[in-house]
Each structure stands twice: as structure tokens, then as C-alpha cells.
Amino acid sequence: EDEAMKLPAESELEFPEEELSLRLSQENVVALCRKKQVCEPWVRQDPEFGFRFEDAEFKAEERNLVLDVKNPGPALQLESLLPSEVVWLRPEKIDFQIKDARGPPPKPRLFKDEKRVNGGIVQGALTDCWLLGALGMLAAQPDLLRALFVDYSSACDEFGIYTLRFYKDGGWKTVTVDNRLPCTPKGQLLLSRGADPTELWVPIVEKAYAKLHGCYELLGAGTVAYALKDLTGGAAQLLQFGQADVES
């Protein structure tokens, strides 16, 4: 038998470790959740809330908060809180600190109104005011803000899955995240939120943008122009209103 034709035994073969990637579309995940069908590692049954999407790429772990869990940088201002003490909660478990004598607090969802957007933003423990400034500008143009979300429907809120698009390296890239958000041990949002904290578009965009860059800490410094390019695909222009050639 020709030695050159011999193949190594299966035990001798080495296969490179395949990078984990999302193999299910948002539509597929929603369909599986509706059928109450587990699909590891993406669709799991929550003992309290039923079938939900769980992002196996950007897990609810401290390494997705900071680069060095033993030595967090200044971008994430945790004060005395350790990264390991941060809890990741679904919106139904978050204490939004809303007290309304008229009844229970409103149900959290991505947008509260089909046409308007509450543009108020409250910065959290992350120094990403440059990103939040750009998001505030987009909120003044709701169509631009809503365009970030791919095929959004109420099912996204129900099953905890959001797909967003960002303009990176000359093309649109999609990023899918679940709705588990970093919180304090008391169950309050740790990072950015909307003026109405039960309207979730601010922390969801922030989470997807953190996933795109590797972790939350890497959003600690940037410019509004950089963020606007990523969010819209357009080129930002800086106007100095003190110059005579700039018209009001």
C-alpha cells in the first residue's frame, strides 16, 4: 500500500478550535422560544420567565465588563464594588426605583412609543459620555435611532433578544445581544439608562456597542464624531459657530 495514501488515525488528527458564533438568526430564536424548545447554548428555559435567548458570545461575566478583572481601569467607576460583585439581571428583576401610587411600574421594553423617543439619558458608572452624546443626537431623529435595531418587534422584548447594526470598517455589521444588564448587588442598573429607565434602548445599545469592541471598559474614551459614524454610517462634520463663515 502506498505510504503517501495512508491517512492518520482519527485520534491523531488535530482540529482547530472553532470560534463560537451565532448560528441562529433572531427570527429563528424567536420561533424556538415560542415553541418552548431549548437550543443550547442560545435558547434556554428560565425557571421564572420561561424560554429566553442567552448570548453565549457575550456572557454575563466580569471579563465582559473589564479587561483585567483583578485590576480594573478608571473607565468603569465601581468605587468599592468589585467586578465579581456585579450581577446581570433581566429587566423584570431590575429595581428601576420607580414608585407610583397609581399601580405597578410600567413593563420594561425597548421603546415606549411607536413614533416618539424619550431622548433623556442618564450616565452610569462607565465614562462613555461621548457615546451617550451621540445617542442623544440620534434620539432627536427617531428614525435614525430605530434604524439601529434590525427587525425589532415586541417578541424581542418578550424573549430578550436584540439585533443591532453598526457601521465598522467600511460596512454594516450586525451584533446580537440578550437583555441581561449589569446591576448593583441591590438590583439597580449600574451603567447608562434612559430618563425613563424602563425604556431600554439606551442600555441595550450600550451593551451591543461594548460587545462590538470587546468589553464595556473599552468604551471608556472616544469622540462623538467616532460614535456618530458607527451609529449612522455618515461622516460627522465639526462646525465652529464662532467663525464668520458659519451661518446660523
Side-chain angles (χ1 to χ4, degrees), residues 113-233:
D113 192 287
E114 294 184 359
K115 295 181 179 180
R116 295 179 299 174
V117 171
N118 188 334
I121 298 175
V122 179
Q123 186 175 359
L126 184 62
T127 59
D128 60 347
C129 57
W130 57 280
L131 170 62
L132 305 182
L135 287 177
M137 296 173 70
L138 252 66
Q141 301 288 333
D143 289 343
L144 287 177
L145 179 62
R146 293 175 187 273
L148 287 173
F149 294 89
V150 180
D151 298 328
Y152 167 72
S153 69
S154 60
C156 298
D157 296 321
E158 181 179 358
F159 302 120
I161 180 171
Y162 301 97
T163 299
L164 296 86
R165 65 172 194 164
F166 300 100
Y167 193 81
K168 275 291 187 185
D169 302 325
W172 290 101
K173 298 184 183 300
T174 57
V175 178
T176 299
V177 293
D178 62 31
N179 64 353
R180 295 175 296 172
L181 299 172
C183 295
T184 69
K186 294 183 178 180
Q188 299 165 359
L189 283 172
L190 177 67
L191 305 180
S192 303
R193 70 216 72 170
D196 177 354
T198 62
E199 190 169 40
L200 301 175
W201 63 269
V202 174
I204 294 298
V205 173
E206 186 179 50
K207 181 174 185 178
Y209 204 54
K211 179 179 178 179
L212 179 67
H213 287 84
C215 72
Y216 279 99
E217 186 181 23
L218 291 177
L219 303 184
T223 66
V224 172
Y226 179 93
L228 284 173
K229 175 183 66 66
D230 287 352
L231 297 172
T232 67

Side-chain angles (χ1 to χ4, degrees), residues 6-161:
K6 287 185 178 180
L7 293 176
E10 185 175 350
S11 60
E12 298 174 357
L13 293 174
E14 293 185 4
F15 296 96
E17 184 176 349
E18 186 178 357
E19 183 179 355
L20 188 63
S21 61
L22 182 61
R23 298 177 180 84
L24 297 177
S25 68
Q26 179 173 284
E27 182 181 5
N28 292 149
V29 168
V30 169
L32 287 169
C33 289
R34 282 179 171 157
K35 293 178 180 179
K36 299 182 179 180
Q37 183 174 339
V38 172
C39 182
E40 295 287 350
W42 307 108
V43 177
R44 293 181 173 175
Q45 184 175 10
D46 187 297
E48 190 169 358
F49 301 111
F51 290 80
R52 296 292 181 91
F53 170 67
E54 191 166 305
D55 188 358
E57 292 180 322
F58 198 71
K59 297 181 180 181
E61 297 176 349
E62 53 193 293
R63 65 185 178 91
N64 287 324
L65 280 174
V66 294
L67 287 171
D68 185 350
V69 298
K70 295 182 179 180
N71 186 30
L76 198 60
Q77 300 174 348
L78 299 177
E79 298 180 355
S80 60
L81 188 66
L82 298 175
S84 59
E85 296 174 324
V86 174
V87 293
W88 299 67
L89 300 177
R90 302 276 187 182
E92 296 89 344
K93 299 292 289 184
I94 295 174
D95 178 9
F96 292 106
Q97 299 178 285
I98 296 178
K99 295 182 180 180
D100 191 341
R102 295 172 296 179
K107 185 178 180 180
R109 58 178 186 260
L110 193 68
F111 296 110
K112 291 297 186 68
D113 192 287
E114 294 184 359
K115 295 181 179 180
R116 295 179 299 174
V117 171
N118 188 334
I121 298 175
V122 179
Q123 186 175 359
L126 184 62
T127 59
D128 60 347
C129 57
W130 57 280
L131 170 62
L132 305 182
L135 287 177
M137 296 173 70
L138 252 66
Q141 301 288 333
D143 289 343
L144 287 177
L145 179 62
R146 293 175 187 273
L148 287 173
F149 294 89
V150 180
D151 298 328
Y152 167 72
S153 69
S154 60
C156 298
D157 296 321
E158 181 179 358
F159 302 120
I161 180 171

